[in-house]
Amino acid sequence: MTRILVQPTGAAHTRIYAYGAARGEIAVPNDDLIGPIDSSDEWIRQRTGIITRMRAVPETSAIDLATDAATEAIAKSGVDPKLIDAVIVATVTNPKQTPSVAAIVADRVGSNPAAAYDVNAACAGFSYGVAQADALIRGGLAHYAVVVGAEKLSDVVDPTDRSISFLLGDGAGAVVIGPSDTPGIGPTVWGSDGSKADAVGMNHTLTEFRDGVAPWPTLRQEGPTVFRWAVWEMVKVARQALEAAGIEASDLAAFVPHQANMRIIDEFAKQLKLPDTVVIGRDIETTGNTSAASIPLATHRLLEEHPELSGGLALQIGFGAGLVFGAQVVVLP
């Protein structure tokens, strides 16, 4: 007799139950950074829209930030942490190559023995994590999942670099995702263009640093290249995500792009022809660019400032190093 494999199936639909957030403890204004880059507060504000950014003290790691954000999201969700069977952390700033941030966070929040792993997709990491959690739950491999975007980018900043250093902040944002009676997470449009990997990323490898042939690796970017790509190509991705979800821009309650640059955010809104009724995440002004953490941090703030957004549709799109991108429409908790 031929045996037939058992293949699991899960919930028909998923949704985000709650958001959590943690920001670095120190507000760093532009004036504290302008000396090494021979710049000015006005120059930074005009180019990026940033007034100040949050950075963590030396004793705080990306793991600590991720734990705090996940703890808040779980508490707000009402889900027993013991029932969470998948923890996904999007980060490029794990202080160790291994173990994963996710495994440590799962233990700290009381979700052992959850499946736990990290995602390295830079500023698109949170969108990637949401896509995977949605698929895991609908595929029957998890019942509840925590997705965290967490970064301590101040660890990989060269204060003399004019290309990206003044943009970066530290923080973590988290969500709890679980089954739903109705669709709460739309199809993910994602991809990459590794042929342009040099446009934004680390300037050296850890082995070069170990061998003494290069200084500590830090982030660099080709600003004009990244700006053009983000504005023109990512707007197309955003439109694809709207189409895949079966909605129009006018159906949105909120738009939460990766907090890369205020000019990019404003151009996005213009290109998408968003009506005035759509609330736009602009957390970058006081938090900075926090890579994988930026979307959940910005959404967390929007929900605090605009509780009426609850139950509305939000388009979120992440894009970053390796020219990796991901976008989906979600129902806000």
Side-chain angles (χ1 to χ4, degrees):
M1 183 177 82
T2 302
R3 299 272 186 185
I4 298 176
L5 290 176
V6 174
Q7 190 167 22
T9 56
H13 309 296
T14 64
R15 65 181 175 90
I16 293 173
Y17 286 26
Y19 283 79
R23 289 174 171 82
E25 300 91 342
I26 304 170
V28 181
N30 294 334
D31 285 339
D32 286 4
L33 305 178
I34 59 178
I37 60 173
D38 189 23
S39 185
S40 67
D41 171 64
E42 181 183 11
W43 183 83
I44 294 176
R45 291 192 189 211
Q46 288 180 347
R47 291 179 64 87
T48 71
I50 297 174
I51 298 172
T52 187
R53 74 282 296 138
M54 302 304 294
R55 289 186 174 173
V57 297
E59 297 78 16
T60 299
S61 70
I63 301 169
D64 299 322
L65 293 166
T67 301
D68 290 346
T71 298
E72 181 189 350
I74 294 169
K76 286 184 174 179
S77 74
V79 175
D80 187 333
K82 295 178 181 177
L83 298 179
I84 293 167
D85 37 19
V87 176
I88 304 168
V89 175
T91 186
V92 298
T93 50
N94 184 350
K96 298 180 180 179
Q97 294 293 95
T98 192
S100 69
V101 174
I104 298 171
V105 170
D107 176 60
R108 288 185 178 182
V109 301
S111 296
N112 273 341
Y117 61 94
D118 291 354
V119 173
N120 184 336
C123 309
F126 179 75
S127 293
Y128 269 47
V130 169
Q132 292 177 36
D134 167 55
L136 289 173
I137 294 168
R138 290 191 292 114
L141 290 178
H143 296 92
Y144 299 96
V146 170
V147 177
V148 187
E151 305 288 8
K152 190 181 180 187
L153 295 171
S154 58
D155 283 344
V156 289
V157 164
D158 174 0
T160 67
D161 168 57
R162 287 176 60 89
S163 74
I164 198 172
S165 63
F166 53 89
L167 289 166
L168 305 178
D170 301 334
V175 292
V176 173
I177 296 175
S180 175
D181 293 334
T182 56
I185 298 175
T188 297
V189 177
W190 56 355
S192 66
D193 183 3
S195 69
K196 297 182 178 65
D198 291 340
V200 55
M202 306 302 290
N203 61 344
H204 299 293
T205 67
L206 287 174
T207 51
E208 288 172 337
F209 174 70
R210 177 200 64 192
D211 295 340
V213 298
W216 176 250
T218 56
L219 279 168
R220 294 288 196 279
Q221 72 170 347
E222 297 174 7
T225 300
V226 174
F227 185 90
R228 287 192 299 269
W229 173 73
V231 167
W232 300 112
E233 298 303 319
M234 292 305 96
V235 167
K236 298 176 186 176
V237 172
R239 292 191 182 114
Q240 290 171 19
L242 290 172
E243 182 179 357
I247 68 167
E248 304 286 341
S250 58
D251 297 319
L252 294 172
F255 174 51
V256 190
H258 164 51
Q259 304 292 290
N261 181 304
M262 194 72 81
R263 290 192 301 160
I264 292 175
I265 294 170
D266 291 341
E267 188 62 31
F268 259 151
K270 179 181 176 181
Q271 294 279 340
L272 290 172
K273 299 180 180 178
L274 297 178
D276 293 340
T277 54
V278 178
V279 181
I280 301 172
R282 290 190 169 91
D283 190 47
I284 189 171
E285 185 175 54
T286 54
T287 300
N289 178 339
T290 54
S291 189
S294 76
I295 290 174
L297 280 175
T299 307
H300 181 275
R301 175 160 283 169
L302 281 188
L303 289 171
E304 285 192 330
E305 296 177 348
H306 301 276
E308 71 277 7
L309 293 175
S310 177
L313 297 173
L315 169 62
Q316 57 187 29
I317 176 168
F319 48 89
L323 300 199
V324 176
F325 58 86
Q328 64 260 122
V329 176
V330 302
V331 176
L332 295 171

